[in-house]
Amino acid sequence: MTWLPAVRRDDLRADLIAAVTGAIVVLPQGVAFATIAGMPPEYGLYAGMVPAMIAALFGSSRHLVSGPTTAASVVLFSSLSLLAVPGTPDYVVLALTLTFMVGIMQLALGLARMGALVNFISHSVVVGFTAGAALLIAAKQLKHFFGVEMDSGGHFHDILIQFGSHLLDINPYAAAVAFATLAIGIAVKRWLPVVPYMIAAMLGGSLLALLLDQVFGPETTRIATVGALPASLPPLSAPSFDLDDIRQLAPSALAVTLFALTEAVSIGRSLAARGGYRIDGNQEFIGQGLSNIAGSFFSGYVATGSFNRSGVNFEAGARTPLAAVFAGALLMIIVLFVAPLASYLPKAAMAGVLFLVAWGLIDFKEIRHIVQASRRETAVLAVTFLSALFLELEFAIFAGVLLSLVLYLERTSKPRIITLAPDPRLPDQAFSCEPDVAECPQLRFVRIDGSLFFGSVAHVEQTLDRLRAANPQQRHLAILADGINFVDLQGGETLIREADRCHAAGGGFYLINVKKGLWDALERCHCMEATGARNVFQSKEAAIRAIFQKLDKGVCAGCTRRIFRECKALPPAVHGSPPVR
């Protein structure tokens, strides 16, 4: 609640306007989602009241709106339809119980400070997921936008195929209302920004539908409306605490918990990035948990972050979580007093508004930036985007996160390894990796930029083997360790093996610029005992002075490179000795 003292009168006005839009949008959605979930229609509205208010007050996002969603409704139906008949009192009790269990799990994860899990959701995942979900939102509204009776379930391509088979069934009157709503919304947003464009668009579309009905008659226009809604507040309810029910629902509750949290935090992070603030993953977990716990006692089923309503909330100009609180309260008022008027709200107008929302959710500027900046991030964005369209929506997040981790591990498993030598062209003969810089014929300096762990040791060993094969006379190996931040047991064993190879060849193995954390890790894996603490140096100068004493002076006598300062003290190359070039 740290945001509350900073709320100004302008913020309250903006939040109230956004709340009016959000409360209107949730009316048809709540009924539809409840039907998908196998619940009585009013339960979809109840899930958008108290749970939404609790999640807004106890979460950390300023724009996230919780409530019933398509994914949560589908999972609920698939989990419970095998245990009870949908729509029956037993089914409702099981739904309330599942909601309570999900809330407890979410709250436990938040209190255990497991919110760091969301840090594995990269920005590219969020952008791709948002864009994919936006297109999916628009696709699911095609039936209402064009007044077509079709199945809008399934994936993106399924919906498009269904729509393509119903092109001849398009209702021109419903399409006219939808396009008018879309045009009014775009025009008001562009030329009258002080007017709430979503409310203006819905009112304009509704008036046009009334006009068409008056002129041509409802039998001709066949413009579907939301219809009358039940006028009642959410009654008190209670989940079942029967151990058999809890045992049966436990696997489903865990699955719902994981994807619901991922969905909510992903939406919250997406909107936070666009709003210029950050969210606290732990607090968001707590807010979602308390929301579902409260919902199970106020006739609501599983609620999580809603892309539709959160997008509407953001685009409508909401500034604080009070917008979601106001929307929940206004929904109660609307259900009590205005529910009969919903029969005048065309579904085509709602579809037009959701088309505007979907367009606003696609961040074209950030997509261009990612595509131009990184191939890896572009791949993550593309996989997440396509998974959202053609696979399950929640799976898209997991696919993006998994690919991000795979690419990260692939990158960290191949640390940069370069050969260095003193460059006489640089001040104080600083070390350089230029290929034309002469190296000592007996000593090689290598810098490793990356951690030595189980995933990278193979790459390190292969690189050092290639260097050793290319220059077998370089029996002394000095590793500049200032780029190594971490070493695990296998990484330490790799250093031990390299030291053994150098000693077996008659040379030596040395570490330079070892950080304290790396030193402690090497001691824990007993690497210092094997490599020898005397072969560890904190500067290149000290290392060169000590190693120079161990070099074969017979080779030095015929060497013409003389790249170290210590080499200057040697007599000139002996005439007749084979020069080392």
Side-chain angles (χ1 to χ4, degrees), residues 36-49:
I36 293 172
M39 299 286 285
E42 60 270 21
Y43 278 78
L45 299 176
Y46 298 154
M49 295 178 183

Side-chain angles (χ1 to χ4, degrees), residues 360-380:
L361 287 174
I362 302 175
D363 195 338
F364 293 99
K365 180 180 178 181
E366 192 58 32
I367 291 174
R368 283 194 301 269
H369 177 251
I370 292 173
V371 171
Q372 295 169 0
S374 170
R375 290 184 178 181
R376 293 173 180 268
E377 295 302 320
T378 301
V380 172

Side-chain angles (χ1 to χ4, degrees), residues 9 29 173 215 257 271 347 407 428 484:
R9 180 175 297 179
Q29 290 184 346
Y173 302 100
V215 174
T257 297
L271 296 178
K347 292 181 179 179
L407 293 177
D428 297 327
I484 304 176

Side-chain angles (χ1 to χ4, degrees), residues 393-430:
L393 191 60
E394 61 273 14
F395 178 77
I397 301 173
F398 297 133
V401 171
L402 181 61
L403 181 59
S404 297
L405 292 177
V406 169
L407 293 177
Y408 170 76
L409 290 174
E410 191 272 337
R411 184 166 58 246
T412 56
S413 67
K414 296 180 180 179
R416 184 168 175 253
I417 302 175
I418 57 175
T419 297
L420 300 170
D423 191 339
R425 298 167 296 187
L426 298 178
D428 297 327
Q429 287 189 292

Side-chain angles (χ1 to χ4, degrees), residues 109-110 112-119 265 280-282 285:
L109 288 173
R113 314 299 294 174
M114 297 296 288
L117 292 173
V118 302
N119 294 333
V265 176
D280 181 346
N282 294 317
F285 281 23

